Amino acid sequence: MQDNLHVERRVISVIVKNEASVLSRITDLFSGRGYNIESLTVAPVPDSEYSRLTIATSGSVRVIEQITKQLHKLIPVLRVYEHTDLVEKEMAMIKFPLNESLSDIETLCNVYNGKIVNVGKDVVIAMVADEPHRIGFFLEAIKRFNPKEIVRGGTVALER
Amino acid sequence: MQISGAQMVIEALIAEEVEVIFGYPGGAIMNVYDEIYKQNKFQHILSRHEQAAVHSAEGYAKKSGKVGVSLITSGPGFTNAVTGLADAYMDSIPMVVISGQVPMSLIGTDAFQEIDAVGISRSCTKHNYLVTDAADLPRVMKEAFYIASTGRPGPVHIDIPKDVTAQIAEFNYPKNISLDTYKPTTKGNVRQIKKAIDAIEKASRPLLYLGGGIINANATEQVREFASMCGIPAVETFMGRGVMGDSNPLRIGMLGMHGNYASNMAISECDLVIGIGVRFDDRVTGKLSEFAKNADIIHVDIDPASISKLVNAHYPIVGDVKNVVTEFIALAKNKIKSEKYVPWLDSIAKLDKLHPLSYKEDSDRIKPQWVVERIGELLGDDANISTDVGQHQMWTAQFYPFSRPRQFMSSGGLGTMGYGFPAAIGVKRADPSRTSINITGDGSILMNIQELMTSVIYKLPVINVILNNNYLGMVRQWQTLFYDDRKSETVLEEQPDFKMVSEGFGGIGYRVTTKEEFDAALKDAIEKDVVAMIEVIVDRDENVMPMVPAGGSLFNMMLPSNSTEGSK
């Protein structure tokens, strides 16, 4: 399979048992086998003994296939979804100095499904939620408002 | 019943019908050792090093087909055992290794003999557990044995803090087990199997590529039947030695870096590879893009991650090898005509005649290959053979006439020097009626030589045949071939008197320089039935040939210069 060396981005969801050190099993697998993690989010699946991890990664077709197989081989892993047709969202929070134009920031946030969520003594905090690549555009656009701190939440995804 | 965590460990081992464990006590595991003292349901063998304890359990597991069990303490006890865990992981050996841990209240405080054991073992076990409540122990022990022995087998590590082994809880050992997240596929996909048989029918030069997975699945009989029914020739991997039985006319030999000429040429020329229980290891395939380049590939394995990992499989079949090959046999009956492959077999036979596996005899010095062949002539099926790692290991794989599965125990994946002697002790425990021979080198034997004591005390005699060339031979061979013969740190000029070392422990020893002396020594060692060291002074400069340089193509082999002369 030397044919397919083209590297592409993939989002993989992993349903794992909620138990001690399960996250290390996943991350150790990635580091031990030299796979790349672009983003990783994890939260419990409601009303179950499982958690859902959403991992954005990249690699050739063969690497992606190995990632899903190796993940599935881990004992506490229930299911692995390699998404091809998916809705993907990410959240970001940004802290601005209060002396920037709040209405401009608010307007910009609106375009990316966001708003100003907190106003403090010296700073204002805004949030947006959109596709990861659009979050990138947004973060580029708000540079002019001198953001003091940016935190990205990591990607979450559901198959269509 | 309400019992302590330590008692639970014992009760679980009894419930799993464990007859022997290999271990070494220490502070954090003392509660369990106290219960071992009080019981007489299974034997505990005190190895002299934790690494050796795990290797012995591996040898026992590989020979018996049962789960090997090892018991060790925290900290250095555990870290010593890691090599054994990694070895079992690479070679898919079913094992349960139980380690003590510092009490829960001390975990994370850098306490005496504390180490993050599950953190370390995570990447070299099939699964691992840190037990934080004795109430979990029955389930964890049951799961450990189940996971170790099902699917693709492997080692499971259980780390138990000292206070958990003291804690009293309810013990109810589960009879059955079902894990939602672990369900190995054992039955092959019927459609894929049909397609594979169709492909075999269409092929004119099919080749069976057989590996250790067949031995793990106890499917040797089925594979032999399938091969002979269809008249398809077979190559074995290093781990698959013994699958076909060396007298089988369809067996071409071992393929790979030190495979014979005909095997490596056959896989390069075939038009269909039928890989069963194999994993396309780099020591087997050589340069991937040139491996079986003219062939479609059928790949049968229980581990889906092994399929299309390195070489794309056109017919992937996930399942237990025994089930799948049984299906193969049913479908191939009356469909595949063995006469069809006769020309293919003839052309392979010609290749073998051209460059047979060989070495050149020398009247002055014993050739290491001769020693291996000679043991085979004298003992053949009556011996189980272990090896360490290096030249002697490859010569054993090449020249010993293996006749059955589980006859050959060697560290294939990890390549662990020091594996052979303790493994041979475990083999002797599992199969006492056969002679247990460890073919080793003067480098390897010094890693775990302390096991002389274990061998003597437990009356588990192993005959260590040391092919002494006063070199770390395999590294020396690479230095000669690829580093302009600069022998960096591979010359072992001064070695101990192995005879005296053995005698010092209560064993026996021989130093032989002629063939007659070797025969006499081996005969005497078998009669005396006590641990022995037979040091054989062999030709120092012998190389393992043929050889495919790392990363090279299988059909570009270095061949012995005398390839048409030698004895074989």
Side-chain angles (χ1 to χ4, degrees), chain B residues 375 383-387 396 400 402 407-410 435 437 439:
Chain B
I375 301 169
N384 291 310
I385 304 292
S386 308
T387 74
T396 304
Y400 197 91
F402 294 105
Q407 186 179 14
F408 179 44
M409 268 56 63
S410 190
T435 304
I437 298 218
I439 299 177

Side-chain angles (χ1 to χ4, degrees), chain B residues 168-293:
Chain B
I168 306 285
E170 178 65 22
F171 181 81
N172 236 330
Y173 201 64
K175 277 209 173 56
N176 300 307
I177 184 166
S178 162
L179 295 171
D180 290 340
T181 59
Y182 173 74
K183 297 193 188 300
T185 309
T186 54
K187 205 178 161 323
N189 181 296
V190 181
R191 269 186 41 216
Q192 286 293 91
I193 291 175
K194 275 194 187 125
K195 277 197 209 162
I197 293 294
D198 288 345
I200 296 171
E201 196 198 2
K202 287 200 191 86
S204 50
R205 298 184 309 280
L207 183 68
L208 287 156
Y209 156 36
L210 308 174
I214 297 165
I215 297 173
N216 280 339
N218 295 314
T220 310
E221 219 177 284
Q222 287 76 7
V223 169
R224 288 180 185 182
E225 186 189 339
F226 179 68
S228 69
M229 191 179 104
C230 302
I232 301 175
V235 293
E236 291 169 345
T237 67
F238 176 82
M239 295 304 288
R241 292 291 286 114
V243 166
M244 287 296 280
D246 286 14
S247 57
N248 193 317
L250 288 166
R251 179 185 173 274
I252 309 168
M254 179 176 81
L255 83 168
M257 182 175 271
H258 294 297
N260 62 327
Y261 179 78
S263 294
N264 285 343
M265 292 313 285
I267 197 120
S268 304
E269 290 180 7
C270 68
D271 64 354
L272 182 70
V273 168
I274 309 160
I276 305 178
V278 289
R279 59 185 183 89
F280 295 81
D281 178 77
D282 58 278
R283 286 296 192 264
V284 163
T285 61
K287 191 175 180 185
L288 277 170
S289 57
E290 306 276 347
F291 178 75
K293 176 164 140 172

Side-chain angles (χ1 to χ4, degrees), chain B residues 54-68:
Chain B
V54 182
H55 289 329
S56 285
E58 281 186 273
Y60 173 84
K62 191 140 189 227
K63 181 70 211 99
S64 65
K66 297 180 193 164
V67 175

Side-chain angles (χ1 to χ4, degrees), chain B residues 269-532:
Chain B
E269 290 180 7
C270 68
D271 64 354
L272 182 70
V273 168
I274 309 160
I276 305 178
V278 289
R279 59 185 183 89
F280 295 81
D281 178 77
D282 58 278
R283 286 296 192 264
V284 163
T285 61
K287 191 175 180 185
L288 277 170
S289 57
E290 306 276 347
F291 178 75
K293 176 164 140 172
N294 305 311
D296 276 358
I297 289 172
I298 297 171
H299 189 182
V300 185
D301 203 277
I302 189 116
D303 177 11
S306 278
I307 294 179
S308 295
K309 179 172 71 174
L310 293 156
V311 174
N312 188 36
H314 305 83
Y315 305 93
I317 302 171
V318 178
D320 178 77
V321 164
K322 195 188 239 174
N323 290 341
V324 175
V325 178
T326 304
E327 295 284 316
F328 274 6
I329 292 171
L331 285 176
K333 246 177 212 151
N334 311 320
K335 188 162 184 186
I336 292 173
K337 308 267 177 281
S338 60
E339 312 85 66
K340 188 179 164 191
Y341 309 127
V342 171
W344 167 228
L345 282 167
D346 289 346
S347 71
I348 294 171
K350 272 185 206 135
L351 290 170
D352 198 42
K353 276 221 181 75
L354 196 61
H355 297 291
L357 202 55
S358 68
Y359 63 92
K360 194 174 179 182
E361 283 283 20
D362 185 324
S363 52
D364 299 337
R365 294 166 298 183
I366 297 184
K367 290 286 180 167
Q369 298 96 326
W370 176 85
V371 179
V372 174
E373 270 187 338
R374 189 65 183 152
I375 301 169
E377 279 164 22
L378 294 174
L379 292 172
D381 188 61
D382 295 332
N384 291 310
I385 304 292
S386 308
T387 74
D388 275 301
V389 171
Q391 287 184 312
H392 67 269
Q393 179 190 30
M394 292 301 128
W395 285 319
T396 304
Q398 290 178 328
F399 289 96
Y400 197 91
F402 294 105
S403 52
R404 57 188 158 83
R406 304 187 186 279
Q407 186 179 14
F408 179 44
M409 268 56 63
S410 190
S411 171
L414 195 67
T416 311
M417 290 170 72
Y419 166 92
F421 188 11
I425 291 173
V427 169
K428 186 68 182 173
R429 179 64 180 73
D431 187 6
S433 65
R434 285 197 174 94
T435 304
S436 187
I437 298 218
N438 174 37
I439 299 177
T440 179
D442 55 311
S444 287
I445 189 63
L446 285 173
M447 298 195 187
N448 281 332
I449 199 160
Q450 77 286 343
E451 292 311 299
L452 280 164
M453 205 66 249
T454 315
S455 190
V456 166
I457 288 186
Y458 292 93
K459 297 194 168 44
L460 296 169
V462 169
I463 300 175
N464 293 282
V465 177
I466 306 168
L467 304 181
N468 187 353
N469 53 13
N470 288 91
Y471 281 133
L472 295 174
M474 188 57 96
V475 181
R476 194 280 308 152
Q477 174 171 338
W478 284 49
Q479 288 170 338
T480 301
L481 295 172
F482 311 120
Y483 292 85
D484 283 336
D485 203 28
R486 287 185 297 276
K487 299 186 186 73
S488 179
E489 304 297 323
T490 49
V491 184
L492 308 175
E493 287 299 355
E494 297 285 327
Q495 285 286 45
D497 181 330
F498 290 109
K499 178 175 188 287
M500 279 176 70
V501 171
S502 185
E503 288 170 355
F505 280 88
I508 50 176
Y510 315 82
R511 184 172 189 276
V512 307
T513 55
T514 67
K515 292 178 172 179
E516 294 70 32
E517 285 172 359
F518 178 75
D519 281 7
L522 184 60
K523 192 165 162 269
D524 193 52
I526 292 168
E527 268 168 22
K528 293 227 167 77
D529 206 26
V530 57
V531 67

Side-chain angles (χ1 to χ4, degrees), chain A residues 95-108:
Chain A
K95 193 185 275 180
F96 298 102
L98 200 49
N99 54 11
E100 296 293 335
S101 161
L102 288 189
S103 60
D104 287 358
I105 292 172
E106 175 83 23
T107 311
L108 205 53

Side-chain angles (χ1 to χ4, degrees), chain A residues 105-121:
Chain A
I105 292 172
E106 175 83 23
T107 311
L108 205 53
C109 286
N110 282 339
V111 181
Y112 294 90
N113 302 317
K115 57 184 176 186
I116 289 171
V117 290
N118 184 275
V119 182
K121 216 163 75 180

